[in-house]
Amino acid sequence: MRDEDARSHRGSAVTTIGAVGVDFATIANRFEGSLRAAHQIMDGNWKEGTVDGAEPKSVDRLMVRIKRGTEGEAHVYNQSNAEFAQAIVVALEWHVADKQVVGDLGNVHAGNRIIIFSSDKRAESCYNFGNQNLSHGLHGFSRIFSLVFSFVPFVSFAVKKGTSMTQTYNAIVIGAGVMGASIAFHLAERGLKPTILERKVTASGATGHSSGLVRMHYDLAAESELTFKSYQQYFNQWKERVGGECGFMNTGFIQINTREEEAQLRGNVANQQRLGINTSVITAKEVKELFPDLITDHFDYAAYEPDSGYADATLTTNSFIESAKRLGATLIQNCEVTAIHAAGGKVIGVSTNQGDFDAPIIVNAAGAWAKHVAGLADIQVPIETWTHDVAFLHRPPSLGRIPAAIDLALECYFRPEGSALILAAGVDESMRNDPPDEEDQTPTPTFVEKLIDIMVQRIPKIEQSGLHSIHVGRDGITPDQRAIYSGTDLGGFYLACGLSGTGFKTSPAAGASLVELILDGTPKTVDITPFRFSRFAEGKLIEGEFGYGNIWR
């Protein structure tokens, strides 16, 4: 967070602009022939070219963005005191009734921007007129022009190579994994124009290594409700609800627990049935009838969800993003956030390796990077980097139907992967505190041998299999191994992180609920209050109603 920096920059900006004693109409006339204009129709669509076949020749308002430093900036000559105002955006309006230009230096915004209002002060905010997401605060404007100058001798205007301009959006989502994609989609669906800033590429973090289970069995009713709403309202009708593909495959799901956990299993199934989930407790014999190749000697009962299965996390993410883009969102990849700026106790924007971006809403959905990103806003979140190994095994030709399964009796989980492979992983040996940018794909030394030993106890035909491949994924994990969906003490700064391995299957409903919290003050899809950030300071870590303990060990 750079609250003090913002205040100090603003002071210098007022001094510089206040000294400008320029006849703006005269400047514009001198600019004639050396500018390119783009006009904005109020539905938000930009059209390149001139207006009415001519270039603007008069000025009614001038906005100048001030930025510290000398590199990659334009310099506009200040006639009154022969100093240079460092400006990277100049915007003006043409053909409005009010010709009086007045200075309103009290309205200084993030990134040292000042707008000089017309006397009716119809503009309420300061904007970057160079992007395609012009938004609130422009009611009453007839046309806005974005000017790009190459060389204007009259004012000694020169643009250096590398010039960039701050872009303004309704909201910034940091992270283009499935959670960030869902949040951007739901923001755009509500009429906002968000941007997603991704330090690498879409789904390159935990999402790209997700096991993709779509199941509803949890020991916490709130998580079961998130996954149920995600299945019921999204995965089960993806094309109609979102568009594109999510790759959902209905295989059925079983939750296997130890005999000692039978009471918890039954309690959780009862909670889920009250939510409307199609689930039941079945006997080991019934499991064997459904899936003959499974050995059932290690348990007496299991929870069975016939509607569940798995989906493709990358397809899901891309579908969210493409639909969000159709609604006006943007995605900027290879864009790492390096600073978060605030003023007056509220966020105002970010700096990145691709320039500055301003927005009154910032959502941290940065996965394994979420702790680092929150630290940029001086917020400490109790998240560790969690490293998890997953194997793909060749499916034996003689193997019959198998479900998606979480097997706490043997401490593993598995599911089909198409018709040729089986995805499988253990729940222990989960490493902690790798650097979030660690890209090593080497599993823990005992991973494969231990996994195969476990899997053959449940599916003996795995002995006929072989290892296809391994991937190593990293996510953020919290002390109670539950996600954070929450606001913070910094106004406009929200958290959707610490997903602890549950992010994919909950992402549709969690994204919808967080957006409702952001825009309406209260989540309606699912009450996400249990996932509030303040629970850690309150000492109220989440525990399941019929708890199984921490699954990742």
Side-chain angles (χ1 to χ4, degrees):
M1 183 171 61
R2 301 292 182 265
D3 203 289
E4 293 182 0
D5 289 352
R7 286 195 294 270
S8 64
H9 290 189
R10 289 177 179 187
S12 64
V14 170
T15 300
T16 303
I17 294 296
V20 176
V22 177
D23 183 310
F24 298 131
T26 301
I27 290 177
N29 286 329
R30 297 289 185 120
F31 284 170
E32 181 183 357
S34 63
L35 62 82
R36 290 184 290 111
H39 73 278
Q40 189 258 357
I41 310 302
M42 292 310 293
D43 64 3
N45 296 318
W46 285 81
K47 296 182 179 179
E48 297 294 333
T50 59
V51 179
D52 298 330
E55 294 179 338
K57 298 182 180 180
S58 63
V59 177
D60 298 298
R61 292 178 190 81
L62 177 68
M63 183 189 78
V64 180
R65 174 184 291 280
I66 304 302
K67 185 176 181 180
R68 278 187 170 182
T70 58
E71 294 300 320
E73 298 170 6
H75 296 269
V76 178
Y77 189 70
N78 180 334
Q79 288 187 325
S80 65
N81 60 9
E83 293 179 356
F84 283 96
Q86 297 167 354
I88 60 171
V89 177
V90 178
L92 56 86
E93 183 181 359
W94 182 39
H95 285 176
V96 293
D98 183 4
K99 299 297 182 182
Q100 183 179 3
V101 176
V102 297
D104 185 355
L105 301 181
N107 196 349
V108 183
H109 296 267
N112 307 313
R113 288 169 297 159
I114 292 177
I115 187 165
I116 300 178
F117 293 104
S118 65
S119 58
D120 62 3
K121 291 183 172 59
R122 284 175 287 180
E124 299 172 358
S125 295
C126 193
Y127 292 86
N128 162 26
F129 295 96
N131 65 50
Q132 299 183 8
N133 293 305
L134 207 61
S135 54
H136 64 282
L138 296 174
H139 305 299
F141 276 43
S142 58
R143 292 187 178 103
I144 305 294
F145 298 92
S146 177
L147 307 183
V148 181
F149 302 99
S150 56
F151 177 69
V152 186
F154 174 72
V155 292
S156 301
F157 186 101
V159 179
K160 294 185 178 182
K161 185 177 181 181
T163 296
S164 62
M165 46 184 147
T166 299
Q167 300 184 49
T168 300
Y169 296 90
N170 299 134
I172 293 169
V173 179
I174 302 173
V178 70
M179 191 61 69
S182 172
I183 292 164
F185 167 76
H186 287 98
L187 286 167
E189 207 175 37
R190 293 288 298 272
L192 276 70
K193 306 298 183 186
T195 188
I196 310 170
L197 306 182
E198 166 54 48
R199 64 178 296 273
K200 294 182 74 176
V201 296
T202 300
S204 57
T207 295
H209 297 91
S210 172
S211 298
L213 267 65
V214 177
R215 49 94 179 185
M216 290 154 268
H217 191 97
Y218 281 92
D219 64 359
L220 181 71
E223 283 182 316
S224 292
E225 188 174 9
L226 281 170
T227 53
F228 179 45
K229 292 291 180 65
S230 294
Y231 163 76
Q232 184 185 49
Q233 299 179 14
Y234 295 84
F235 289 117
N236 195 40
Q237 49 179 336
W238 193 265
K239 284 186 179 180
E240 296 80 8
R241 178 64 184 85
V242 179
E245 299 288 344
C246 70
F248 176 68
M249 300 293 292
N250 173 218
T251 61
F253 168 82
I254 58 172
Q255 171 86 25
I256 300 171
N257 288 71
T258 64
R259 290 184 172 93
E260 293 74 21
E261 292 173 324
E262 181 186 336
Q264 293 99 307
L265 183 78
R266 291 186 180 276
N268 289 320
V269 168
N271 272 349
Q272 293 150 21
Q273 288 172 334
R274 281 190 284 272
L275 292 171
I277 296 171
N278 181 15
T279 184
S280 61
V281 176
I282 63 175
T283 66
K285 180 182 177 182
E286 290 172 307
V287 170
K288 187 73 170 179
E289 291 170 352
L290 287 166
F291 309 106
D293 285 322
L294 269 58
I295 297 297
T296 59
D297 295 344
H298 309 88
F299 63 96
D300 294 328
Y301 297 95
Y304 176 51
E305 299 173 9
D307 299 334
S308 297
Y310 69 94
D312 186 310
T314 300
L315 271 180
T316 299
T317 302
N318 288 338
S319 293
F320 268 139
I321 289 176
E322 289 306 309
S323 293
K325 288 164 68 175
R326 285 193 292 271
L327 294 168
T330 60
L331 167 68
I332 303 175
Q333 301 182 86
N334 300 304
C335 184
E336 182 173 349
V337 173
T338 56
I340 294 175
H341 305 293
K346 298 179 180 180
V347 293
I348 53 178
V350 303
S351 294
T352 77
N353 61 341
Q354 293 194 39
D356 295 340
F357 299 82
D358 290 346
I361 297 166
I362 299 174
V363 183
N364 177 1
W369 280 86
K371 181 176 183 177
H372 169 76
V373 169
L376 298 176
D378 292 338
I379 293 173
Q380 304 306 312
V381 294
I383 293 176
E384 296 179 303
T385 303
W386 166 62
T387 302
H388 186 57
D389 303 330
V390 175
F392 290 90
L393 308 175
H394 291 288
R395 181 175 183 139
S398 63
L399 182 64
R401 177 183 173 225
I402 62 171
I406 292 180
D407 189 342
L408 295 185
L410 294 179
E411 298 191 334
C412 67
Y413 67 89
F414 56 88
R415 66 163 176 83
E417 171 68 14
S419 61
L421 299 174
I422 298 171
L423 179 149
V427 300
D428 63 352
E429 295 192 13
S430 297
M431 304 298 290
R432 299 288 197 278
N433 288 324
D434 275 348
D437 58 351
E438 177 62 68
E439 295 184 357
D440 183 12
Q441 288 293 299
T442 304
T444 53
T446 60
F447 168 65
V448 176
E449 181 180 359
K450 188 172 182 178
L451 179 65
I452 297 298
D453 286 346
I454 290 172
M455 288 294 293
V456 296
Q457 295 180 59
R458 186 65 67 215
I459 310 173
K461 289 182 179 179
I462 289 294
E463 286 187 320
Q464 306 168 21
S465 178
L467 179 66
H468 175 274
S469 58
I470 296 172
H471 70 221
V472 180
R474 294 171 177 87
D475 197 0
I477 192 168
T478 65
D480 56 13
Q481 299 192 8
R482 316 283 181 170
I484 306 170
Y485 304 121
S486 179
T488 66
D489 290 337
L490 178 59
F493 189 68
Y494 294 86
L495 303 173
C497 54
L499 305 181
S500 307
T502 67
F504 171 68
K505 65 190 70 64
T506 63
S507 61
S513 300
L514 185 62
V515 167
E516 290 161 354
L517 176 67
I518 293 169
L519 300 183
D520 306 325
T522 303
K524 301 179 183 65
T525 301
V526 177
D527 181 8
I528 54 175
T529 305
F531 304 98
R532 65 193 181 278
F533 173 51
S534 63
R535 73 181 188 265
F536 302 106
E538 296 165 0
K540 297 180 179 178
L541 301 189
I542 297 174
E543 295 183 2
E545 293 87 357
F546 300 94
Y548 299 138
N550 287 343
I551 186 172
W552 307 117
R553 295 185 278 280

